[in-house]
Amino acid sequence: MPTAIKANCSPALLALFSQLIALTVTVLLVIVSPPLTIFELALVQGILAAFISYFLKMAAWWIPIQLCFLPVMVATLAFEFPPVWFGIGFITLVLVYGKTYQTQVPLYLSSYAVTQALSTYLPQKKDFSFIDLGCGCGGLLSALSKTKTNGAFHGIEAALLPYLIGKTKNLLTKSSCNIQCGDLWKQNLSHYDIVYAYLSPAPMKMLWEKICGEMRPGSIFISNTFMIPGVAPDSCIEINDFSGSTLYIWRIKSDNDALDSEP
């Protein structure tokens, strides 16, 4: 049952569902239990919400969020923090992360070690086109465009603040890479020889369907850290960086290649 509920709801809705159920149980406890302080009730509600989230098999990082949400809210109200700071915090999160509640893709930044590995892997002399799906602040593209002058580098980013930072850096450094603000799902991947993504586990299956439908035979898809479910990569590059990244590489095959590879 938890798996079925999880499959039909976004994590944000599951989190809201957990909070509401926990709040309902807490209200019932108020009726039958000895008097508790507001903070104690908030703590009980947080524990219940965290347990429900665990029962629904939500991602592990949701558990502390569910546990602390109401207690932290009660504590901030008790200390009378100015409401304007909550507004500033909310706007900042929206600018930095965009529609993460829908995409389930947080802001990940590729490490310098990943940039070096890609610089070595990419074609040394042959011209090629490269796109970073969810390019963040464009650091990877900017670095690669300086070392791989035979490449045309493009990036797409949905969150406004990282896009503006990347665009401003490009203007100041006169970088040749092109960063656009938009939806990666609306990009036509047939225009690119190499597609790179550092997303999350959530969209990988859908992304693979898009790749298979659009990318040309012989072109290459590279995923940082996250595998495509049920599809073994053609090769991989282990990166010695702070997060122990691995670059998974798939070379797109033609229909004939796929038939020839079948047993």
Side-chain angles (χ1 to χ4, degrees):
M1 181 64 71
T3 304
I5 296 175
K6 184 177 178 181
N8 293 318
C9 295
S10 70
L13 288 177
L14 283 177
L16 178 60
F17 173 78
S18 301
Q19 289 287 336
L20 291 176
I21 294 298
L23 184 60
T24 301
V25 175
T26 303
V27 170
L28 294 175
L29 287 176
V30 170
I31 299 173
V32 300
S33 69
L36 297 174
T37 66
I38 294 296
F39 185 78
E40 289 172 338
L41 289 172
L43 189 59
V44 169
Q45 193 272 351
I47 293 172
L48 289 172
F51 175 78
I52 294 169
S53 299
Y54 175 79
F55 176 75
L56 293 175
K57 301 182 186 294
M58 296 183 68
W61 53 270
W62 275 105
I63 308 303
I65 293 176
Q66 297 287 68
L67 174 64
C68 297
F69 179 74
L70 195 58
V72 169
M73 182 181 295
V74 170
T76 53
L77 290 173
F79 286 108
E80 298 183 351
F81 283 101
V84 66
W85 290 109
F86 295 99
I88 292 173
F90 176 76
I91 292 172
T92 301
L93 289 173
V94 171
L95 290 175
V96 172
Y97 293 104
K99 296 181 178 180
T100 301
Y101 65 93
Q102 288 183 340
T103 64
Q104 301 180 53
V105 179
L107 177 64
Y108 289 124
L109 302 179
S110 299
S111 67
Y112 177 69
V114 167
T115 303
Q116 288 183 308
L118 285 174
S119 184
T120 301
Y121 176 81
L122 295 175
Q124 300 302 311
K125 296 181 179 180
K126 181 182 177 182
D127 291 344
F128 65 93
S129 56
F130 178 104
I131 186 170
D132 183 351
L133 302 178
C135 64
C137 300
L140 175 72
L141 295 173
S142 179
L144 289 176
S145 66
K146 294 175 182 177
T147 60
K148 309 298 294 185
T149 56
N150 56 318
F153 292 94
H154 305 266
I156 185 75
E157 174 57 48
L160 184 58
L161 188 57
Y163 160 74
L164 291 176
I165 293 173
K167 201 70 173 178
T168 302
K169 285 169 55 180
N170 276 358
L171 292 174
L172 294 177
T173 60
K174 298 181 180 180
S175 173
S176 61
C177 56
N178 177 32
I179 298 177
Q180 296 179 340
C181 184
D183 185 349
L184 69 86
W185 301 105
K186 296 179 180 178
Q187 292 295 301
N188 187 343
L189 302 184
S190 65
H191 299 320
Y192 306 100
D193 300 306
I194 300 169
V195 174
Y196 170 84
Y198 189 11
L199 302 176
S200 79
M204 296 308 294
K205 183 177 180 180
M206 186 184 302
L207 181 59
W208 182 245
E209 294 174 358
K210 180 177 176 64
I211 286 168
C212 293
E214 296 180 9
M215 291 185 69
R216 304 186 306 268
S219 56
I220 293 171
F221 171 61
I222 303 173
S223 175
N224 187 341
T225 303
F226 304 111
M227 291 277 288
I228 297 169
V231 184
D234 295 304
S235 60
C236 59
I237 302 173
E238 294 186 358
I239 308 296
N240 185 22
D241 62 4
F242 61 90
S243 59
S245 305
T246 299
L247 298 180
Y248 298 103
I249 302 169
W250 290 265
R251 183 175 293 274
I252 308 306
K253 299 177 177 61
S254 66
D255 292 339
N256 291 335
D257 292 336
L259 290 173
D260 291 341
S261 64
E262 291 181 358

